[in-house]
Amino acid sequence: MLGFLGIIKLENMQLEGFFFYLLSGYFAGSVLHYLAAKILGPILFGRGFCGWACWTAMALDFLPYKRNKAGRLTEKWELLRYVHFGFSLLLVLLFWFVIQYRPIPMSKLELAWLAAGNTFYFVSAFFLAFMLKDNRAFCKYLCPITVILKVTSRFAFLKIEGSKENCSQCGACTKACPMDINVMEYVMNGERVLSTECIFCLTCTTVCPEAILDDTFKMDIGGNERIRRIDPGITN
Ligand code: SF4
Ligand code: SF4
Ligand code: SF4
């Protein structure tokens, strides 16, 4: 998709490209991609795109820190992704209204934007992964796409669920979760995993020694975040 839409069709698949095409009223392939993977799709399958299809995360998965042993930084660090999202939007508005840049028809400039944006994502993602010893640090603190994903994935029909009665409280699911979600706490509270940080990677289901975690298809509203943070006393 990146090769076909980005390189052959010259579409800017970065978030800024999506904003540009919305302003243009142009239904580009990348708009369809955003709708399917990041806006409407998550109502069905949550953040499955993050767990299975994101090309940034594909590279991050090769790094050595699949499991973040320390826990997540405090919530204020997560504000960085909102700053990043706001910066992308402002940049587009500046180009559109002040510089009068209109990306239709597509040109090589779109390809340059895509390359520069992707380079920034990869460099910052690798830097954060090595600094924090956490492959998914970029996803947790800096990725602007999460701003959209966290809204729509609240309503996901597919979520992880476990049976409280059969849980041995070993904590293996929580320790293995690459997004630092306190899975065991959800199970013990009789809730599905309602966190909008869940990327539906299914790692927790594979490590549970009792095999009681599974994906279920139901209706509920997520957003109740139970996150394992560096200070074990802080959960929200
Ligand atoms: S949070 Fe961003 S970088 Fe991480 S997997 Fe999702 S879309 Fe990709
Ligand atoms: S390990 Fe489980 S709770 Fe954590 S992100 Fe993957 S599916 Fe979601
Ligand atoms: S891994 Fe399974 S048994 Fe262990 S705490 Fe998690 S849900 Fe319970």
Side-chain angles (χ1 to χ4, degrees):
M1 189 164 60
L2 189 59
F4 179 70
L5 291 180
I7 298 170
I8 298 174
K9 303 284 287 179
L10 298 178
E11 286 188 17
N12 181 0
M13 298 193 68
Q14 293 296 109
L15 183 59
E16 298 84 33
F18 174 63
F19 291 145
F20 272 127
Y21 302 138
L22 285 186
L23 283 169
S24 310
Y26 178 72
F27 197 73
S30 59
V31 172
L32 187 63
H33 160 68
Y34 271 79
L35 279 177
K38 297 160 183 172
I39 299 174
L40 297 178
I43 296 172
L44 183 65
F45 47 73
R47 290 179 58 181
F49 173 78
C50 295
W52 299 93
C54 173
W55 44 82
T56 308
M58 175 207 70
L60 294 174
D61 274 350
F62 288 109
L63 301 182
Y65 312 112
K66 281 192 194 305
R67 201 186 118 199
N68 174 23
K69 291 185 186 145
R72 202 184 275 218
L73 300 178
T74 55
E75 274 176 280
K76 68 176 186 222
W77 290 98
E78 292 169 12
L79 294 177
L80 284 174
R81 48 196 178 184
Y82 296 93
V83 174
H84 190 173
F85 184 91
F87 177 76
S88 293
L89 185 57
L90 274 178
L91 196 64
V92 169
L93 294 176
L94 178 77
F95 268 70
W96 186 269
F97 289 108
V98 181
I99 301 174
Q100 304 275 312
Y101 173 73
R102 304 285 192 266
I104 309 292
M106 316 293 183
S107 71
K108 289 267 166 62
L109 212 55
E110 291 297 279
L111 188 56
W113 194 308
L114 174 65
N118 256 282
T119 305
F120 171 72
Y121 278 26
F122 278 110
V123 169
S124 55
F126 275 61
F127 175 77
L128 283 175
F130 281 104
M131 279 293 292
L132 299 172
K133 297 193 174 9
D134 179 1
N135 286 3
R136 288 278 183 164
F138 179 79
C139 304
K140 294 170 193 174
Y141 309 116
L142 199 54
C143 176
I145 311 295
T146 52
V147 174
I148 304 171
L149 286 164
K150 281 175 73 67
V151 175
T152 49
S153 65
R154 272 176 181 243
F155 307 98
F157 287 104
L158 268 178
K159 290 190 178 85
I160 301 294
E161 185 172 17
S163 122
K164 177 181 176 179
E165 291 69 35
N166 298 321
C167 175
S168 61
Q169 298 185 48
C170 66
C173 49
T174 299
K175 277 189 205 138
C177 176
M179 295 302 282
D180 309 320
I181 295 168
N182 200 332
V183 184
M184 189 179 85
E185 219 174 273
Y186 285 106
V187 174
M188 295 315 292
N189 273 284
E191 298 166 323
R192 295 205 294 163
V193 174
L194 298 175
S195 172
T196 54
E197 296 293 305
C198 176
I199 55 172
F200 214 67
C201 64
L202 304 179
T203 304
C204 54
T205 66
T206 61
V207 299
C208 175
E210 312 295 339
I212 58 163
L213 291 171
D214 209 349
D215 49 306
T216 55
F217 196 82
K218 292 180 185 171
M219 271 181 86
D220 52 16
I221 309 278
N224 175 18
E225 306 293 345
R226 300 181 187 277
I227 303 293
R228 180 176 66 92
R229 300 208 179 262
I230 280 184
D231 177 349
I234 302 174
T235 52
N236 54 358

